[in-house]
Amino acid sequence: MSTRRRTLLTAAALWLPVAAFAAPITMGFSQVGAESEWRTANSASIKAAAKAAGITLKFADAQQKQENQVKALRSFIAQKVDVIAFSPVVESGWDTVLKEAKAAGIPVILTDRAVKVADPSLYVTFIGSDFVEEGRKAARWLLERAAKTPNATLNIVELQGTVGSAPAIDRKKGFEEVIKTNPKLQIIRSQSGEFTRAKGKEVMESFLKQRDKKIDVLFAHNDDMAIGAIQAIEEAGLKPGQDIVIISIDGVRGAFEAMKAGKLNVTVECNPLLGPQLMQLAQDVVAKKPVEKRITVEEGVFPAEVAAKELPNRKY
Ligand code: GZL
């Protein structure tokens, strides 16, 4: 064997054990809360993926409060984690704490929801969904259905997500951008149901009590609020999915079960299973590899007609 080959083999043999003992990454993760089936699946995906990747995960549940997320990020900075990842409950109010992370030399990854900051260098990358497109998909499904009754005016009520959150702002934006092409489709009432079943039911009850205009369609920014609204519609003696057409977003198991029961008409998928991609991204960011500034995931639309067939395939 040549001297050169022997030297190379020796070097590789020496390097391997060192690589095997590279210190594991510590990630500080601040989660919005546990407000919906989507969020539960998202948290499970993140925890499982961290474990599989050998990443030490410090996980903090903010119970949908921004001040708890800011506290968690400051705690991660004090603990000198290698990387911070978080799903910001609302878009604004992050500049100060993100500047503190930058000053501490800790890279920040946004996952699921985005932020509005003056300096985009305050975070390395965003991985999540295109919420505007999700809103457009919901409206396109309604346009196609409305085309079957071209002269009918359709009164729409809207259950918005958390006020100030990226999904609520962008889903509304995408939905309105498309329905404005058909003046027969009008949003007559719109209010936040905070992405929860309980609040979604409560707000839908208030919509149903206002009898000045007939409600033809409900657009809910997530399945949990739609499922809460379904209960309110039934308690009002109406048939959800028939008397009131219901469109929602997320694609959680509960939505497929509601569609199978004929109570929900369509759900637009919003993929919560971001864990594996997030952990790979974290390792690349810590290794200072170049990464895209915005990484979005592919998502489908599931009308009730396919619910029974699709349900066994659902992973969340
Ligand atoms: C969307 C996510 C939203 C879901 C809701 O990516 O932020 O928050 O649509 C969840 O179910 O509460």
Side-chain angles (χ1 to χ4, degrees), residues 130-143 170-179 219 249 268 301:
D130 180 344
F131 299 133
V132 177
E133 185 56 20
E134 290 172 350
R136 293 192 192 106
K137 286 176 182 177
R140 286 187 203 119
W141 179 89
L142 183 56
L143 276 190
D170 287 354
R171 285 170 182 168
K172 182 173 189 55
K173 184 177 164 193
F175 187 80
E176 289 177 346
E177 177 192 296
V178 172
I179 64 158
F219 169 48
I249 299 177
V268 174
V301 179

Side-chain angles (χ1 to χ4, degrees), residues 10-311:
T10 311
L14 281 174
W15 178 80
L16 270 176
V18 171
F21 291 104
I25 292 175
T26 297
M27 172 189 281
F29 188 93
S30 169
Q31 181 59 294
V32 164
E35 72 282 0
S36 64
E37 274 188 67
W38 189 98
R39 188 64 57 197
T40 304
N42 180 246
S43 296
S45 173
I46 285 156
K47 289 173 181 172
K51 192 164 184 232
I55 288 177
T56 304
L57 183 69
K58 294 177 181 296
F59 187 93
D61 174 333
Q63 293 163 334
Q64 295 214 79
K65 291 184 175 62
Q66 181 171 28
E67 62 267 26
N68 291 346
Q69 288 200 289
V70 172
K71 274 188 207 133
L73 267 55
R74 287 193 167 125
S75 165
F76 298 148
I77 294 167
Q79 296 176 68
K80 299 185 180 0
V81 297
D82 298 299
V83 59
I84 288 172
F86 77 117
S87 171
V89 60
V90 292
E91 282 189 339
S92 56
W94 303 102
D95 298 74
T96 302
V97 69
L98 292 182
K99 281 177 190 161
E100 292 165 17
K102 186 171 185 179
I106 300 174
V108 174
I109 298 173
L110 299 180
T111 167
D112 167 28
R113 298 184 184 179
V115 297
K116 289 253 187 287
V117 286
D119 172 7
S121 76
L122 291 176
Y123 63 91
V124 176
T125 182
F126 162 85
I127 177 168
S129 304
D130 180 344
F131 299 133
V132 177
E133 185 56 20
E134 290 172 350
R136 293 192 192 106
K137 286 176 182 177
R140 286 187 203 119
W141 179 89
L142 183 56
L143 276 190
E144 276 174 44
R145 185 183 177 100
K148 294 171 188 151
T149 52
N151 300 322
T153 299
L154 291 179
N155 292 329
I156 303 164
V157 294
E158 180 182 30
L159 287 171
Q160 296 182 39
T162 302
V163 175
S165 69
I169 293 166
D170 287 354
R171 285 170 182 168
K172 182 173 189 55
K173 184 177 164 193
F175 187 80
E176 289 177 346
E177 177 192 296
V178 172
I179 64 158
K180 74 180 180 206
T181 62
N182 180 344
K184 297 274 187 192
L185 275 54
Q186 290 295 326
I187 295 178
I188 58 169
R189 289 190 235 295
S190 180
Q191 191 179 326
S192 176
E194 297 170 9
F195 281 131
T196 68
R197 291 190 181 198
K199 193 69 181 170
K201 180 180 180 193
E202 183 189 313
V203 174
M204 190 66 200
E205 283 165 351
S206 72
F207 286 164
L208 288 161
K209 284 195 181 97
Q210 300 167 53
R211 296 186 180 280
D212 57 323
K213 289 186 180 173
K214 180 175 172 295
I215 299 172
D216 302 298
V217 180
L218 163 64
F219 169 48
H221 289 188
N222 85 328
D223 294 333
D224 286 72
M225 293 189 292
I227 290 164
I230 284 167
Q231 290 168 11
I233 292 166
E234 288 179 318
E235 286 171 11
L238 297 170
K239 291 189 181 63
Q242 297 175 54
D243 298 329
I244 296 177
V245 168
I246 305 178
I247 306 164
S248 74
I249 299 177
D250 275 353
V252 297
R253 182 171 299 281
F256 280 79
E257 285 158 357
M259 288 194 287
K260 214 175 143 186
K263 299 180 180 178
L264 176 69
N265 299 86
V266 60
T267 183
V268 174
E269 186 179 34
C270 176
N271 188 348
L273 308 181
L274 302 171
Q277 281 177 283
L278 174 61
M279 296 308 151
Q280 182 55 58
L281 207 44
Q283 288 166 326
D284 291 348
V285 165
V286 171
K288 301 208 185 312
K289 289 182 184 170
V291 295
E292 299 286 321
K293 189 72 179 174
R294 183 176 171 82
I295 301 155
T296 50
V297 291
E298 281 307 307
E299 296 164 338
V301 179
F302 295 92
E305 296 75 17
V306 304
K309 180 170 72 63
E310 275 300 315
L311 186 53

